[in-house]
């Protein structure tokens, strides 16, 4: 993840998000209560593609991919993508996929949180929701790539590892010279795990 592949400040702890115990089924919509409002997590559909594109664009710091790519993610990778809504408005999104050659690893591509929800622990709860999906039933590791200057993403994945009482290992994934031009940092893999039975909070 480059700067902006995590458009949040997720360092507050403990998280104010609380789970409605009646909605713990993996296939259920997950609801979380903030003071005076409510955030709902669900799988995206292709109709959400435009809203997701607007969310990414609105952060002002994320790598904005084509609108087509978000339609594809919402349609074909919905089992491993998570949408967060507040009063019908998209306020958070995680895109991810289970690695074909490593079915015990889910790779997180982008994490985006709307300005209105930053600092509330929403990004971490999005990841927990992802790990509770049936598509991640056999997943024991979460991976993402993070650039050296992206402190927010580093804190998110290290914090997740700490919260679920596992480890977070780092290793270089893509060196600078693999990218066109000379304005892209290297990308380091953050590998969280092993884990199982992740609780949502």
């Amino acid at each position: 993840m480059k700067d902006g592949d995590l458009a949040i400040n997720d360092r507050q702890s403990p998280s104010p998000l609380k789970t409605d115990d009646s909605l713990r089924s993996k296939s259920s919509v997950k609801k979380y209560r903030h003071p005076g409002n409510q955030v709902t997590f669900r799988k995206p559909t292709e109709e959400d593609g435009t809203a997701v594109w607007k969310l990414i664009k609105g952060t002002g710091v994320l790598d904005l991919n084509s609108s087509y790519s978000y339609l594809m993610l919402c349609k074909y990778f919905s089992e491993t993508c998570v949408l967060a809504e507040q009063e019908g408005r998209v306020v958070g999104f995680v895109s991810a996929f289970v690695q074909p050659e490593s079915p015990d690893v889910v790779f997180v591509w982008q994490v985006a949180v709307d300005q209105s929800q930053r600092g509330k622990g929403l990004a971490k709860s999005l990841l927990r929701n992802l790990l509770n999906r049936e598509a991640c039933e056999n997943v024991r590791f979460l991976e993402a790539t993070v650039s050296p200057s992206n402190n927010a993403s580093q804190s998110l994945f290290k914090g997740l590892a700490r919260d679920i009482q596992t480890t977070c290992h780092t290793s270089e994934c893509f060196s600078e010279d693999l990218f066109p031009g000379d304005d892209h940092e290297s990308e380091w893999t953050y590998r969280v795990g092993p884990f199982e039975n992740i609780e949502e909070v």
Side-chain angles (χ1 to χ4, degrees):
M1 289 185 180
K2 293 175 61 180
D3 286 344
D5 277 342
L6 180 67
I8 61 165
N9 178 355
D10 195 56
R11 300 180 184 178
Q12 292 188 5
S13 180
S15 167
L17 302 177
K18 295 182 179 180
T19 304
D20 183 337
D21 289 335
S22 67
L23 296 170
R24 289 229 177 240
S25 169
K26 288 184 178 180
S27 61
S28 297
V29 172
K30 308 296 178 177
K31 293 185 178 180
Y32 300 83
R33 287 185 171 85
H34 294 255
N37 60 59
Q38 189 176 81
V39 173
T40 301
F41 291 176
R42 64 173 173 84
K43 298 174 185 178
T45 67
E46 58 202 87
E47 287 80 11
D48 297 310
T50 295
V52 169
W53 182 87
K54 289 179 178 179
L55 171 70
I56 304 299
K57 183 179 181 180
T59 66
V61 292
L62 284 168
D63 278 344
L64 183 64
N65 298 289
S66 70
S67 57
Y68 180 77
S69 68
Y70 295 108
L71 288 170
M72 293 280 287
L73 284 167
C74 290
K75 181 176 177 66
Y76 296 112
F77 294 88
S78 62
E79 295 296 323
T80 50
C81 290
V82 185
L83 192 82
E85 287 182 313
Q86 181 188 58
E87 298 179 350
R89 185 171 68 93
V90 175
V91 295
F93 185 69
V94 167
S95 55
F97 60 88
V98 175
Q99 295 187 15
E101 296 182 0
S102 302
D104 64 340
V105 179
V106 62
F107 182 85
V108 173
W109 181 20
Q110 283 187 313
V111 182
V113 173
D114 184 77
Q115 178 68 42
S116 66
Q117 298 299 320
R118 294 178 192 172
K120 299 180 180 180
L122 181 58
K124 196 178 291 182
S125 290
L126 281 163
L127 293 177
R128 284 177 175 266
N129 185 279
L130 167 66
L131 296 178
N132 270 275
R133 291 282 183 82
E134 291 181 4
C136 292
E137 183 177 5
N138 297 318
V139 165
R140 296 296 175 261
F141 297 91
L142 179 150
E143 290 186 356
T145 63
V146 182
S147 58
S149 65
N150 192 342
N151 295 323
S153 288
Q154 295 170 28
S155 295
L156 172 64
F157 295 114
K158 289 178 180 178
L160 177 66
R162 182 176 59 251
D163 289 354
I164 62 177
Q165 300 180 343
T166 190
T167 58
C168 180
H169 294 289
T170 61
S171 60
E172 188 175 48
C173 182
F174 301 118
S175 61
E176 294 179 7
D177 61 337
L178 292 176
F179 295 95
D182 54 4
D183 61 347
H184 200 297
E185 295 182 88
S186 60
E187 292 281 339
W188 285 70
T189 296
Y190 278 61
R191 181 177 173 92
V192 176
F195 51 74
E196 57 183 317
N197 300 324
I198 305 300
E199 292 186 5
E200 295 185 75
V201 295

